[in-house]
Amino acid sequence: MKFRRVILGAVLGCLLAACAESVETPPSPPQFPEWQPKQPRPADRDEEAVGAALAALDFCELIDLAAYDRRKAGDTRPVTREPKVKYGRKMCTLVRDGYEPLIYAEDVDPGHLVLHRVDGAVIDLGGVKGYQEETRREGRLDGCAITVPVSFQRAVRFELGMTRSKDCELLRDFATAGAAKLPRDLVYPPDGQDSARVGACADWVSTSKGENCDPAVEVEVPGGAERIIAAGAADPNVECAVFRDAVRMAFGPDFAPIATPGGCYFVEPKHRLQVEAGATANGGAPGEWLADPNKTFKDHQQLTFGDRPGVTFRSKDDHEFALYASPLGNLDVRGHVRLRISPEQERGVEDWDRSKVVSEVDVAKAHAVMDFVLATHFRVAG
């Protein structure tokens, strides 16, 4: 607890340096329209043309034998490239000595592609965009795969066979050589727009394809608690604006706000932590989370943020820490200000053994953010 207070004091001191009082004003009737995206979505490539190009592609040509020769380390056993169709999709396997699979190249199931984009680290394959995913078990590298998108829905995937699963650099060689053989009108440059996710929405840990996310835009936060939560219920950009400065000062400048139907998220490219924030007249009263009749959470505490009552709690697996405050000064009144933080799987690394729990440092930062937000936007006048 002493450690947390030290961190909290240091961060809060920095945040409150910019704090200014707000004035309560009579609220206007709240309006709660359905969320609508405000930014246009980029167009995908022609689906039929991409499908035809992949149907005509020789996937065995994508497994470069010169890359194998550079890496075989004196092994003279013969290798062959074996094509086949699996679940209606073309693939090819580099096989050594008639039975040992070394490298796979395959047409990716469109239903899986969004996960590869979310989980994979963006890499440069000789001027071609790719996503690399490593799998770790018991502290060791257990597998490696690289996905090369060719449209919003389609991709080519290179993957190591189990016998060579500890050499991602080898796979990079094969994927770079294979990507160079793909038609230029199919691949994307390393910074190319290869999905309908716009801007920072590409960093959202979600299976959304982009239809329900906008990079947040700058809007003015109205004065007065009731006005703020009414505006937040109508527009998640207001919720982002309430938290924008505090989150960036506490958690760092890499965190960018995105607006979604459920509220505001602050996301960062490496996916190590995701922050969800809200200030809304919708949803329940903070006291509902304190009571928690179904015992969904644990470690419930009642406390104050600024001069407003609030509650904190954790998920039972310690993967999420949440803070809810009453902007109107009563835990049993509908409407709340909230912050929820959760550590995520680092982009590009699927570590089956690593326990992802909220750190005490991030808990202290979350407390500082809420104190700052309540003191800045919801301070009692006078």
Side-chain angles (χ1 to χ4, degrees), residues 276-324:
E276 194 251 326
T280 178
N282 287 334
E288 295 176 17
W289 279 272
L290 181 62
D292 192 10
N294 296 323
K295 307 302 179 186
T296 306
F297 303 99
K298 68 175 185 179
D299 297 345
H300 305 77
Q301 295 187 37
Q302 181 174 345
L303 65 171
T304 59
F305 300 104
D307 52 14
R308 302 298 172 106
V311 300
T312 65
F313 52 90
R314 292 176 183 264
S315 60
K316 290 184 178 180
D317 61 0
D318 289 313
H319 179 70
E320 181 181 65
F321 180 73
L323 312 89
Y324 278 67

Side-chain angles (χ1 to χ4, degrees), residues 1 6 17 28 38 55 62 76 80 94 98 128 148 151-152 156 169 189 192 235 244 274 315 344 359-360:
M1 292 297 296
V6 170
S28 58
K38 291 182 171 56
L62 300 182
T76 59
T80 57
L94 180 66
V128 173
V148 180
S151 75
F152 292 4
V156 174
E169 287 303 314
D235 184 0
R244 185 189 299 263
Q274 188 157 271
S315 60
E344 301 292 343
S359 72
E360 288 302 307

Side-chain angles (χ1 to χ4, degrees), residues 53-261:
L54 289 176
L57 191 64
D58 183 347
F59 276 71
C60 285
E61 284 298 313
L62 300 182
I63 299 179
D64 188 72
L65 293 181
Y68 174 74
D69 287 338
R70 292 193 300 270
R71 288 284 197 159
K72 65 182 181 181
D75 195 319
T76 59
R77 289 177 290 172
V79 294
T80 57
R81 294 176 292 189
E82 298 181 355
K84 67 177 180 179
V85 176
K86 186 176 181 180
Y87 304 119
R89 302 195 175 279
K90 296 172 70 173
M91 67 176 298
C92 186
T93 307
L94 180 66
V95 177
R96 182 167 57 195
D97 210 17
Y99 71 92
E100 186 181 5
L102 301 179
I103 302 289
Y104 302 97
E106 58 186 335
D107 181 4
V108 175
D109 183 334
H112 298 161
L113 182 53
V114 66
L115 296 175
H116 300 318
R117 282 198 179 97
V118 171
D119 295 340
V122 178
I123 58 173
D124 184 344
L125 300 169
V128 173
K129 188 173 191 176
Y131 294 87
Q132 180 170 311
E133 300 164 76
E134 298 179 3
T135 303
R136 299 182 181 276
R137 294 178 189 269
E138 298 179 355
R140 297 180 180 180
L141 186 65
D142 190 56
C144 192
I146 293 174
T147 302
V148 180
V150 296
S151 75
F152 292 4
Q153 305 296 326
R154 306 294 296 273
V156 174
R157 186 168 171 88
F158 299 88
E159 191 165 0
L160 288 171
M162 293 304 296
T163 55
R164 299 302 297 269
S165 62
K166 299 179 182 179
D167 194 345
C168 285
E169 287 303 314
L170 177 143
L171 186 66
R172 286 281 285 265
D173 282 355
F174 275 97
T176 300
K181 296 182 179 183
L182 290 168
R184 294 299 89 186
D185 58 348
L186 278 184
V187 297
Y188 293 90
D191 60 350
Q193 182 69 44
D194 65 307
S195 80
R197 290 178 168 226
V198 180
C201 292
D203 296 326
W204 188 21
V205 184
S206 164
T207 56
S208 162
K209 295 180 180 179
E211 71 281 0
N212 58 350
C213 177
D214 275 332
V217 297
E218 296 275 3
V219 296
E220 184 178 353
V221 178
E226 293 194 18
R227 286 184 180 274
I228 294 172
I229 62 175
D235 184 0
N237 287 288
V238 174
E239 298 181 281
C240 290
V242 168
F243 280 89
R244 185 189 299 263
D245 291 342
V247 168
R248 285 184 170 174
M249 285 189 284
F251 289 100
D254 289 340
F255 283 81
I258 58 174
T260 76

